Amino acid sequence: MANYLSKYYDMVSERQRLGVEPLALNAEFTKELCELLLNPPVGSEQELLNLISNRVNPGVDESSKVKAQFLYEIASGKKVSVVISKQKAVELLGNMKGGFNVSYLISLLEDASLAEVAKKALENTLLIYNAFDDVAALANKGNTTAKELIKSWAEATWFTSKSEYPKTVTLTVFKVAGETNTDDFSPAPDAWSRPDIPLHALAMYKISRDDLKADVEGVKGPVSTIENLKSKGYPLMFVGDVVGTGSSRKSAANSLIWHIGHDIDGVPNKRAGGVVVGGKIAPIFYTTLEDSGALPIEADVSKLNSGDVVDLNVYDGTIVKHGTNEVLSTFALKTNTLLDEVRAGGRIPLIIGKDLTDKARKYLGLGSSEVFAKAAEVKAEGGFTRAQKIVGKACGLKGVRPGQYCQPVIATVGSQDTTGPMTRDELIDLACLKFSAPMVMQSFCHTAAYPKPVDVKTHNTLPEFMHNRGGVALRPGDGVIHSWLNRMCLPDTVGTGGDSHTRMPLGISFAAGSGLVAFAAATGIMPLDMPESVLVRFTGKRKPGITLRDLVHAIPYFAIQKGLLTVEKKGKKNIFSGKIIEIEGLEDLSVEHAFELADASAERSAAACAIKLSQSSVENYLKSNIALLKKMANEEGYQTKEALLNRAAAMQSWLDNPELIEADPDCSYAAVLEINCEDIKEPILCAPNDPDDARLLSEVANTKIDEVFIGSCMTNIGHYRAASEILKDMKGEAKVRLWMTPPTRMDRQELSDEGLLSILGKAGTRVEIPGCSLCMGNQARVADNATVVSTSTRNFPNRLGNGANVFLSSAELAAVTSKLGHLPTVEEYFENTSCLDGKEDKIYSLLDFSK
């Protein structure tokens, strides 16, 4: 081991034992490294140069601040290194992507001996933001190098200097049959390691499948299999029947790309690129791949087998057996701009770079650049749907047509704690020091109950990071991000969040991976290829005993009956996938209740959900939320106070002149699903282990159940009152292990104030701290191989517990099940819920903070 940077190399040795790359240098190590570079130990020169070049994070990390200042001091002659010349220092500054290096490089444009090197460094630095004005000011003063730099930006040399995507790429197929969800790529129990990409990537597929065996079951995925495939000498092409369903976590894409992508110059422990081919790629995962510089392709995968060596021909849309003309699959790229995104290193770098080029061309009085591929023109007649008009409003347009590229203004951004550290890293990479989005909220709902040391560190450090940029941080124990974020949103605006259940019931929201969430928070906009809409229209009146959750499950149930959805993964049909679900016919629902329907659109693999609600429902919700926001800011010390009060003022402004967007009468939809509530005569569940597999209760009645979970963002105070009412006359404890997790601290306090915790305690209920608890299964888990009834969002294999078989149901059905120890018959269900009859208004009333 080297006799310098000893603590760092101790860490390197430990990482080698784990079989992963060393961590990037932190600020302390970077300071020590900089001192060594001034007077390096003999023989250490190249190693130290490699460390400063490749092992310090770019952007606005504390270590990059140290690095940038050190390199500038060398470039300006304040310090001298025998390893790094002035010119080399400027080159290294140019590889820091943006942030702390920018002002130093701009100042060096005035140094005659280094101006040309600084210009070349800045030519490929996209994260300039408002510093463009500083370069323009130099150009206005007659600085010729600054003028040449602006000309270079205008000509998009940052883009044209990169190679076009090759006509043919030879790849080795890494195929995993069936469905791969984001829990397979990024297992929930390993959420703590997500920011550490090479370490987290070891957990990918750590639970063996029929066609893929883990190296160490439940611990380490099939790394040896992947390495054997790579030994053929070609990059890997990942192939699956259905790819990336589930949550929006960027960590899933990060793990996959770690195995199939390429290193990024100057960025430690992160990769980009790679090719992913799926019979169906879930829309959020597709866009996350785009953001990561990967090439996602939807195609028939039936003739592609693991270990095959193939040639990918992107320009003629074929995958052929290597060295032959035997076509194994054909495809069409989804957008005209996809190859530009790959060439630029991802969709986000392309957007930022194109904006820089536009600024430069505007400064020079030039028209639009012809360098980039044009988004497809969309021509259509007729009116717009509600969703199309809401997005249009955010773009300054009357509406946005399906397939049209747009960049809506983002009003509300959410981040939860298992993605928050990755969002922080992405914000650092984006050199973001101030949020442009007016409301950015961070929660700690996934790690509050049983925090690991790394979680405690996140609880202590992430709030300040968010506050410093103008965001709002909740506290551990406050509860679920969605239950809070929904109270922050404004009618008919657009939002996003780093959790697939960011499905705000007001306006519309498009869930995203942490990279895109960071981009939206930093810039206040997000890229969007406008999806088509599917209308779900409810008619008729709900029968007694049929819950709102039954209506949620009625959507997949009736879609299956009408041939719009299949459960089978091979050749899967899903009319909702990648589309916006627009719901009508339930206008008098409260906004909080409507979220149950919006929330479950994630399980349909829909891009978003928009629900038509009455003006009075919206007004009541906003009045309650204004009171909550003011209390948080003025009495409870939440930060940033300004963001909270500004959002309360925006809500009041809407109330002063209320108006809700309506669909045009002549708008059209990709499909219309009519559901008559009177046709729903018994509860509907989703059977193990697929949220699409909707079944009538009568089909699964009498199934023995081991555990019941009532909790998650799908619940509100009414569900716990109903469960308490069902359980209150029971003698002894529930027949199963019963878990309950109120979604917010306010809900839990209300349970206590109403004396319901006493009833639940007598039933043997384990009441968890407000948050996500079992829903994600990254902390508390059910027993191995248990059969479970849960009110949570998903029931993917191994999510709630290893080998668990999970039914999704209403809280009412879950409570009856816990009482009986088995899924009830239809008759038993109605008998045990008759205690709710006539009490619905009281039981299902919601918290109103304005009273």
Side-chain angles (χ1 to χ4, degrees), residues 176-353:
V176 183
E179 179 179 31
T180 293
N181 60 58
T182 48
D183 272 345
D184 297 316
F185 286 134
S186 172
D190 298 84
W192 60 273
S193 65
R194 284 177 183 165
D196 187 347
I197 295 171
L199 179 61
H200 190 68
L202 295 179
M204 188 175 88
Y205 290 119
K206 70 176 188 176
I207 304 296
S208 294
R209 301 160 68 104
D210 290 342
D211 61 338
L212 189 65
K213 300 303 177 186
D215 284 358
V216 182
E217 189 66 28
V219 177
K220 183 180 180 182
V223 176
S224 59
T225 299
I226 292 170
E227 292 305 317
N228 285 337
L229 290 171
K230 287 182 178 180
S231 69
K232 295 193 176 190
Y234 304 107
L236 300 186
M237 177 173 79
F238 181 81
V239 176
D241 292 305
V242 180
V243 181
T245 50
S247 68
S248 57
R249 55 189 81 148
K250 176 79 180 292
S251 56
N254 283 343
S255 290
L256 179 58
I257 291 171
W258 183 257
H259 294 296
I260 69 172
H262 57 76
D263 291 333
I264 308 170
D265 189 28
V267 182
N269 293 9
K270 191 174 184 180
R271 289 176 180 160
V275 179
V276 177
V277 181
K280 192 69 186 174
I281 302 177
I284 301 175
F285 194 67
Y286 185 99
T287 55
T288 304
L289 292 172
E290 282 186 276
D291 297 336
S292 305
L295 177 60
I297 296 170
E298 289 192 333
D300 180 2
V301 301
S302 58
K303 293 182 181 179
L304 298 172
N305 298 299
S306 214
D308 288 350
V309 178
V310 300
D311 292 331
L312 172 70
N313 304 309
V314 293
Y315 298 101
D316 67 9
T318 62
I319 301 172
V320 302
K321 188 175 181 180
H322 177 50
T324 74
N325 294 319
E326 182 185 346
V327 176
L328 302 175
S329 188
T330 61
F331 62 89
L333 297 179
K334 201 171 256 191
T335 65
N336 298 344
T337 58
L338 191 55
L339 293 182
D340 274 9
E341 294 169 1
V342 177
R343 185 179 182 182
R347 183 170 58 158
I348 290 173
L350 180 64
I351 293 168
I352 294 172

Side-chain angles (χ1 to χ4, degrees), residues 551-561 565 576 604 686 691-692 694:
L551 298 194
V552 167
H553 293 165
I555 295 176
Y557 180 80
F558 283 98
I560 290 170
Q561 307 308 307
L565 176 68
F576 308 111
R604 309 285 75 80
C686 293
D692 280 344

Side-chain angles (χ1 to χ4, degrees), residues 70-145:
F70 172 73
L71 293 173
Y72 175 70
E73 287 173 340
I74 291 176
S76 59
K78 294 177 182 177
K79 290 183 178 178
V80 177
S81 168
V82 297
V83 180
I84 303 174
S85 66
K86 288 185 176 183
Q87 288 76 11
K88 184 65 176 177
V90 179
E91 290 173 7
L92 292 176
L93 277 171
N95 207 26
M96 294 184 67
K97 313 304 179 188
F100 294 125
N101 65 328
V102 172
S103 61
Y104 294 138
L105 287 170
I106 292 173
S107 70
L108 292 170
L109 293 175
E110 298 186 271
D111 184 325
S113 64
L114 295 173
E116 186 62 27
V117 186
K119 177 181 80 72
K120 288 182 179 178
L122 284 165
E123 281 177 345
N124 294 302
T125 301
L126 301 182
L127 302 175
I128 297 295
Y129 301 124
N130 293 333
F132 178 88
D133 297 335
D134 298 330
V135 177
L138 282 179
N140 292 339
K141 291 178 182 177
N143 185 303
T144 56
T145 311

Side-chain angles (χ1 to χ4, degrees), residues 719-739:
H719 296 116
Y720 299 90
R721 291 197 192 104
S724 300
E725 189 71 21
I726 291 167
L727 296 171
K728 73 176 184 180
D729 292 329
M730 189 174 61
K731 292 181 171 62
E733 295 188 352
K735 300 288 181 64
V736 303
R737 191 182 194 193
L738 176 58
W739 306 71

Side-chain angles (χ1 to χ4, degrees), residues 509-678:
S509 50
F510 297 88
S514 54
L516 189 52
V517 169
F519 179 79
T523 65
I525 61 170
M526 72 180 291
L528 180 67
D529 292 301
M530 187 66 187
E532 293 181 287
S533 286
V534 172
L535 177 64
V536 176
R537 183 186 291 120
F538 286 93
T539 60
K541 188 176 180 181
R542 250 193 294 168
K543 292 182 176 295
I546 300 303
T547 68
L548 190 56
R549 185 65 182 258
D550 296 318
L551 298 194
V552 167
H553 293 165
I555 295 176
Y557 180 80
F558 283 98
I560 290 170
Q561 307 308 307
K562 297 184 180 182
L564 300 174
L565 176 68
T566 59
V567 177
E568 175 65 32
K569 304 306 175 189
K570 201 166 186 178
K572 184 175 178 66
K573 183 186 291 185
N574 182 357
I575 190 63
F576 308 111
S577 181
K579 298 182 178 70
I580 298 168
I581 298 177
E582 302 199 37
I583 297 176
E584 294 182 357
L586 301 171
E587 284 77 8
D588 289 334
L589 282 178
S590 71
V591 177
E592 197 169 345
H593 285 140
F595 177 61
E596 279 191 66
L597 287 152
D599 199 10
S601 67
E603 276 59 68
R604 309 285 75 80
S605 291
C609 181
I611 302 181
K612 184 180 180 182
L613 295 170
S614 69
Q615 184 172 307
S616 61
S617 291
V618 175
E619 288 177 344
N620 291 337
Y621 194 58
L622 291 184
K623 289 173 184 176
S624 175
N625 295 341
I626 288 171
L628 175 64
L629 287 164
K630 288 182 176 179
K631 184 177 182 182
M632 291 172 69
N634 296 325
E635 300 175 29
E636 298 178 334
Y638 282 86
Q639 296 294 328
T640 53
K641 182 176 180 179
E642 182 181 15
L644 291 163
L645 294 179
N646 285 346
R647 181 47 54 97
M651 291 176 179
Q652 186 59 55
S653 179
W654 187 90
L655 287 171
D656 292 341
N657 187 26
E659 185 178 1
L660 291 170
I661 288 175
E662 299 285 345
D664 291 331
D666 59 341
C667 67
S668 58
Y669 300 90
V672 177
L673 177 64
E674 298 259 6
I675 300 175
N676 187 338
C677 293
E678 295 179 15

Side-chain angles (χ1 to χ4, degrees), residues 136-186:
L138 282 179
N140 292 339
K141 291 178 182 177
N143 185 303
T144 56
T145 311
K147 291 179 181 178
E148 290 171 2
L149 174 60
I150 293 175
K151 183 181 177 184
S152 174
W153 284 336
E155 293 172 349
T157 55
W158 61 268
F159 179 76
T160 58
S161 62
K162 300 176 186 293
S163 300
E164 292 185 18
Y165 201 87
K167 290 183 178 180
T168 299
V169 181
T170 301
L171 302 158
T172 299
V173 173
F174 169 33
K175 185 175 182 180
V176 183
E179 179 179 31
T180 293
N181 60 58
T182 48
D183 272 345
D184 297 316
F185 286 134
S186 172

